[in-house]
Amino acid sequence: MMQTFLNTGLITAQATHAAEPVPLAVTVMFSLLLLGLIAALALEEQLHAKKSVIAGCFAFVSLFAADALDLLPIGSVTNVFGEVVELPVYIPAIDWNVIAIILGASLFVDVTSRSGLFTWIAIRLTKISAGDPRRLLFYYGVLTVLFSAVLNNVTAMIIVGSLTGVSLNKLGRRDKLLGFLLVEGLLTNIGGLLTLISSVPNIIVGTAADISFIRFFLVTSPFVVIATTITLMMGARLFAIHSLVDEEERQEAARLVADFDENDGIESPFFFWFGAIMMVLFILTIATTSVLPYISELGMGYVAMAFGLIVLIRYKAVADEFYKALDWDLLGFFMALFIVIDVMEHAHVLDLIGRGIVPIIELGATMGTGLMLVVSAVASSVTDNIPLAAMLAKILSGLGTSSDSSLWWAVIFGANLGGNITPIGSASTLVAVTIIHRYKLPLSFAGFVKKALPYAAIQIFLAVVYVLLFLG
Amino acid sequence: MTNVDQFESVFKSATKISFAYQDIEIRKVLLVTDLEEQPAQQLSDQVRSFLTVLAADDSVNWRTVQGDEFQTVKELLDLVEKENPDLICAYRHLHSQAWRWPYSLGEELDVLTQITSSPVLILPHPKAQPLDEILKGTGSVMAITNHLTGDHRLVNFAVRFTEERGTLSLTHIEDEKVFKSYIEVISKIPSITTETAEEEILKQLLKEPHDYIRSCSDTLREEGLALKVQEIVSLGHHISDLTRLVEEHQVDLLVLHAKDEDQAAMHGLAYSLAVELRRIPLLML
């Protein structure tokens, strides 16, 4: 009976990577596994399980099932030196360039943050604002976007969010904390659009589409400027964050922020300047990786790892402390996710989803791209945007989408901005909510959606218009 | 640094409490004695020559209470309430011979230091030692507390009583016994590295008063006050270390709190010191 069921329909491989036909029932079974993974990731908090464990379990089951059904290309592989080597099937399934970028950049940011550079910038900006709430919102907002762009969304939210809590408490403006943190959370996902390495979906989709760092920046930066300005203006209006009008209040606020000592966190002036110079060099090198001789062949992963190692020399005796501080959950999650996606590819699940996407694409350059962006945004609002980006990148690659197609941008914009619809849509909005709850401010899931939806709707609308007008 | 707590700690640490200078106004001084007219007047002259920082100001009104003006604590309190002075000067064991035994301040001062809102300058007992040898001006003033950071009032009073070009020692002694007891508890918690905790907690405990004293020094300089600010911040045993420091720095006047919100000071550091340090004047706030 099982054999009969399995033989009820065979799907023929559409993409070049899968030559062997797979029974539809098998594809459906693996589709359910993928849906299970997405659902489990959406319910991460309720399950009290880390992402890496969830994805690891699904990777383990998927691999076993795929091997049992003879879907995997088990056997030796030929490496770049032309040597035939035996590798476990799940090793080449992982995109090691993405892992290297995340690992190296995390290490680099973690070590550089010890120099006091980021806290110095944040405190200097606080002092320049003279404690005026509206000015502070705009400064912190811009800082969030820039930190999200050069560091990553989560680190940006952690730095700016924690400073916001401390400074608003100091200024006696705790009533504005919710508005500040929410706007900053929303801006992390806008800042995450600024560069190729600002967010993981960018890295995954950008790498798959072969988009260079410079091109990515030139395409997204005008949108980021517009969306940031609109979000900040809306935030100031909807959360009633106004400038101080009373001279006495202004003087008191200026006195309070003057108590901040931006040099407090600087352990050594040498390392501070070293950190600053390395940060500039890191951005420049990442930006020019594709044109640098030799470096272009080694890729951005190599650059990130090299910079991580260079700054680590400062703490060579206690390097293990930084290894411990790395987000192994995130790295484990990515590795497991890549394995699951690879299995899904062999089980033709991606082909199946691709067939669902084809009608969207066939709607044309305008409707198709616009709908793809909205669908990506909605999908990434209810689950992690990383598997979504990984899956769509694989599908678009499989469909032979050209590098200059606006569909890639639709996925990038959608996957990033979708994180602003719900608190679970992106890791950085989750951090914002965590800080909000840390300060005992009430904000439920529905409460977040109610407050964030007007911003997200406008941002997504703007993105659709932008992609269609300028990238179509 | 990877989490909210770590960055929050960095920002909290960067939030310094700056010293807020305020000129302390003293218009009326009440000298309480249990002496007759002539010795009371003599003591009044000695106190005025000791407090040149006040005597130089002609607007200060000095009033000397003689022994026959009060007999009981109640009468003294009524007198203080009626006079409403900005500063009370007195010595231990008024109307008593108990000054010979160093076990208390005497019932009047025990009550007075707790009830009145005016600062009380406790002088050594005139019969215990010649005051001429002790009351030689306030060129060296020491303010002490176990929590100096943010204690603007204590510092402002100490500044007010320090002579021009004098030395103001701002002292913060972190109680070693209390610190060790917490480290002992931490050493029993597996998730906290004891060595790191001990090192980091002590560093932060001493850093805060250090930063505050630096702010005091900067502010006083900006205000144009010609004082030398000396920083004394360390871990130690309150009574023994403070007694040693007072001797080492040849302190002319010690400024400390007599009361706090929990009324703990009088039963803790301040009272013990007041009883122990009988040879120098104490300004109890």
Side-chain angles (χ1 to χ4, degrees):
Chain A
M1 188 181 165
M2 184 66 179
Q3 192 59 42
T4 313
F5 178 70
L6 289 173
N7 288 332
T8 48
L10 292 174
I11 61 166
T12 312
Q14 298 290 313
T16 52
H17 59 266
E20 296 298 318
V22 175
L24 180 62
V26 172
T27 304
V28 170
M29 186 188 82
F30 278 93
S31 302
L32 291 174
L33 263 177
L34 184 63
L35 277 175
L37 170 65
I38 292 167
L41 288 172
L43 298 169
E44 185 192 355
E45 292 283 307
Q46 285 77 8
L47 291 172
H48 299 291
K50 290 284 178 188
K51 278 190 175 74
S52 56
V53 178
I54 295 171
C57 290
F58 278 90
F60 170 77
V61 173
S62 305
L63 273 172
F64 186 82
D67 191 36
L69 293 166
D70 203 21
L71 299 176
L72 299 175
I74 305 283
S76 50
V77 292
T78 307
N79 68 15
V80 289
F81 305 108
E83 298 161 346
V84 177
V85 291
E86 293 293 330
L87 270 183
V89 69
Y90 45 83
I91 296 297
I94 297 167
D95 189 334
W96 290 102
N97 191 40
V98 171
I99 298 291
I101 293 171
I102 296 164
L103 181 67
S106 303
L107 200 58
F108 177 75
V109 168
D110 193 13
V111 180
T112 314
S113 68
R114 283 271 193 109
S115 70
L117 176 67
F118 308 131
T119 51
W120 186 89
I121 295 169
I123 292 173
R124 274 302 295 164
L125 218 54
T126 307
K127 289 174 93 165
I128 293 168
S129 79
D132 182 85
R134 190 179 161 90
R135 215 179 298 161
L136 208 56
L137 176 73
F138 277 73
Y139 286 2
Y140 282 176
V142 172
L143 192 67
T144 307
V145 169
L146 293 178
F147 277 0
S148 296
V150 294
L151 309 176
N152 61 65
N153 301 16
V154 172
T155 308
M157 190 61 228
I158 287 173
I159 296 176
V160 184
S162 52
L163 174 64
T164 304
V166 174
S167 60
L168 289 193
N169 263 336
K170 173 102 180 156
L171 289 165
R173 303 266 165 202
R174 214 185 139 92
D175 57 318
K176 303 292 177 204
L177 191 53
L178 180 66
F180 268 79
L181 292 171
L182 199 78
V183 169
E184 286 161 8
L186 300 176
L187 288 173
T188 56
N189 290 321
I190 295 175
L193 274 167
L194 198 58
T195 77
L196 184 61
I197 56 157
S198 302
S199 76
V200 178
N202 300 0
I203 300 171
I204 294 171
V205 181
T207 309
D210 199 23
I211 300 169
S212 73
F213 186 96
I214 295 286
R215 189 177 154 223
F216 194 102
F217 176 76
L218 292 175
V219 165
T220 57
S221 52
F223 172 81
V224 170
V225 172
I226 297 164
T228 302
T229 310
I230 290 173
T231 304
L232 284 170
M233 289 174 76
M234 276 180 75
R237 191 178 171 82
L238 295 180
F239 289 105
I241 299 166
H242 307 301
S243 290
L244 297 174
V245 283
D246 185 55
E247 183 55 33
E248 203 174 307
E249 272 188 327
R250 274 208 290 259
Q251 282 182 2
E252 176 63 6
R255 188 188 66 75
L256 288 169
V257 291
D259 281 351
F260 277 110
D261 181 1
E262 63 270 37
N263 298 317
D264 189 80
I266 299 172
E267 286 177 16
S268 130
F270 169 77
F271 189 53
F272 175 83
W273 287 110
F274 177 71
I277 292 164
M278 288 307 290
M279 177 52 82
V280 173
L281 283 177
F282 176 67
I283 295 166
L284 288 176
T285 315
I286 283 280
T288 54
T289 297
S290 58
V291 293
L292 289 174
Y294 308 115
I295 302 286
S296 60
E297 290 161 11
L298 293 165
M300 279 201 285
Y302 168 81
V303 174
M305 292 290 283
F307 271 85
L309 189 68
I310 292 167
V311 290
L312 203 56
I313 292 171
R314 168 73 171 77
Y315 292 101
K316 54 188 180 298
V318 286
D320 55 331
E321 282 180 20
F322 293 94
Y323 301 150
K324 282 180 207 161
L326 279 170
D327 194 345
W328 289 108
D329 176 55
L330 191 72
L331 290 165
F333 165 62
F334 285 133
M335 288 193 244
L337 182 68
F338 282 128
I339 293 168
V340 173
I341 299 286
D342 194 60
V343 171
M344 295 304 150
E345 190 182 8
H346 286 99
H348 290 192
V349 174
L350 300 188
D351 288 335
L352 193 63
I353 300 168
R355 286 183 189 186
I357 290 172
V358 166
I360 295 177
I361 298 169
E362 283 174 353
L363 286 171
T366 308
M367 274 297 285
T369 304
L371 197 59
M372 175 69 94
L373 196 153
V374 175
V375 168
S376 301
V378 172
S380 69
S381 72
V382 289
T383 186
D384 204 299
N385 58 5
I386 296 162
L388 179 89
M391 199 173 66
L392 288 176
K394 202 97 177 176
I395 291 168
L396 289 178
S397 294
L399 292 171
T401 311
S402 69
S403 170
D404 57 354
S405 167
S406 57
L407 287 169
W408 294 110
W409 296 108
V411 174
I412 290 168
F413 278 84
N416 278 284
L417 297 176
N420 281 347
I421 301 173
T422 69
I424 58 161
S426 76
S428 54
T429 45
L430 202 57
V431 172
V433 173
T434 307
I435 302 174
I436 287 169
H437 290 164
R438 192 179 166 87
Y439 282 96
K440 309 264 185 283
L441 298 168
L443 186 71
S444 62
F445 187 99
F448 180 97
V449 175
K450 196 177 160 191
K451 286 184 191 302
L453 200 57
Y455 299 87
I458 286 178
Q459 290 160 2
I460 292 165
F461 173 75
L462 273 174
V464 171
V465 172
Y466 184 79
V467 170
L468 292 179
L469 280 181
F470 302 107
L471 306 171
Chain B
M1 294 195 296
T2 50
N3 65 43
V4 176
D5 194 66
Q6 285 172 324
F7 277 102
E8 221 172 54
S9 301
V10 171
F11 291 126
K12 278 182 180 169
S13 172
T15 314
K16 306 285 169 67
I17 298 176
S18 299
F19 169 61
Y21 173 71
Q22 196 182 4
D23 189 18
I24 301 291
E25 200 172 84
I26 294 173
R27 295 264 167 235
K28 188 170 189 180
V29 180
L30 186 72
L31 173 62
V32 181
T33 74
D34 56 359
L35 305 170
E36 290 176 355
E37 188 181 354
Q38 200 187 345
Q41 187 53 49
Q42 195 186 341
L43 180 66
S44 174
D45 293 341
Q46 282 175 317
V47 172
R48 285 186 197 212
S49 74
F50 169 60
L51 297 177
T52 52
V53 284
L54 301 183
D57 188 349
D58 292 338
S59 64
V60 177
N61 177 14
W62 295 78
R63 155 94 161 90
T64 304
V65 176
Q66 293 169 20
D68 56 1
E69 289 185 65
F70 72 97
Q71 290 301 322
T72 63
V73 175
K74 173 80 172 67
E75 285 173 358
L76 177 61
L77 293 177
D78 289 344
L79 188 70
V80 168
E81 194 181 344
K82 187 184 149 203
E83 295 289 341
N84 191 24
D86 298 312
L87 174 71
I88 301 165
C89 300
Y91 45 84
R92 300 144 206 261
H93 302 290
L94 293 160
H95 290 303
S96 163
Q97 294 298 310
W99 57 267
R100 295 168 193 279
W101 295 279
Y103 300 116
S104 76
L105 299 176
E107 62 180 16
E108 287 89 352
L109 285 197
D110 277 352
V111 175
L112 195 62
T113 50
Q114 292 304 294
I115 286 182
T116 180
S117 58
S118 307
V120 182
L121 177 66
I122 302 175
L123 303 163
H125 198 282
K127 290 178 186 166
Q129 57 246 319
L131 291 183
D132 285 341
E133 290 176 12
I134 298 163
L135 305 180
K136 289 179 177 172
T138 52
S140 175
V141 174
M142 180 182 276
I144 59 158
T145 176
N146 51 5
H147 190 80
L148 184 69
T149 311
D151 199 340
H152 309 321
R153 186 168 180 259
L154 184 82
V155 179
N156 277 318
F157 263 99
V159 169
R160 180 69 181 88
F161 280 85
T162 309
E163 287 174 2
E164 204 176 331
R165 282 183 287 279
T167 303
L168 170 65
S169 304
L170 297 176
T171 310
H172 176 108
I173 301 288
E174 200 63 48
D175 195 324
E176 192 169 8
K177 228 175 168 179
V178 173
F179 178 71
K180 291 285 177 199
S181 72
Y182 281 112
I183 296 302
E184 182 64 23
V185 172
I186 287 172
S187 71
K188 293 170 188 170
I189 302 170
S191 57
I192 304 176
T193 312
T194 310
E195 199 180 332
T196 311
E198 185 169 8
E199 195 179 305
E200 294 296 320
I201 292 172
L202 183 62
K203 196 171 133 192
Q204 190 61 31
L205 276 173
L206 302 185
K207 179 179 170 291
E208 288 181 11
H210 164 79
D211 289 342
Y212 183 67
I213 294 170
R214 199 175 62 180
S215 153
C216 292
S217 183
D218 293 345
T219 308
L220 293 173
R221 198 181 314 114
E222 283 164 20
E223 291 289 336
L225 294 168
L227 296 179
K228 183 189 169 196
V229 178
Q230 192 166 44
E231 176 187 322
I232 303 168
V233 177
S234 70
L235 185 70
H237 184 258
H238 277 141
I239 303 298
S240 60
D241 284 317
L242 285 172
T243 309
R244 177 181 53 79
L245 286 169
V246 166
E247 283 170 12
E248 271 177 20
H249 291 82
Q250 297 179 314
V251 175
D252 299 317
L253 175 67
L254 199 61
V255 185
L256 65 163
H257 282 294
K259 45 191 172 283
D260 58 23
E261 281 176 7
D262 301 323
Q263 293 289 306
M266 199 55 197
H267 305 287
L269 173 69
Y271 193 80
S272 312
L273 271 174
V275 172
E276 186 76 21
L277 300 169
R278 295 181 304 279
R279 290 179 174 275
I280 63 161
L282 310 171
L283 179 63
M284 304 195 77
L285 307 179

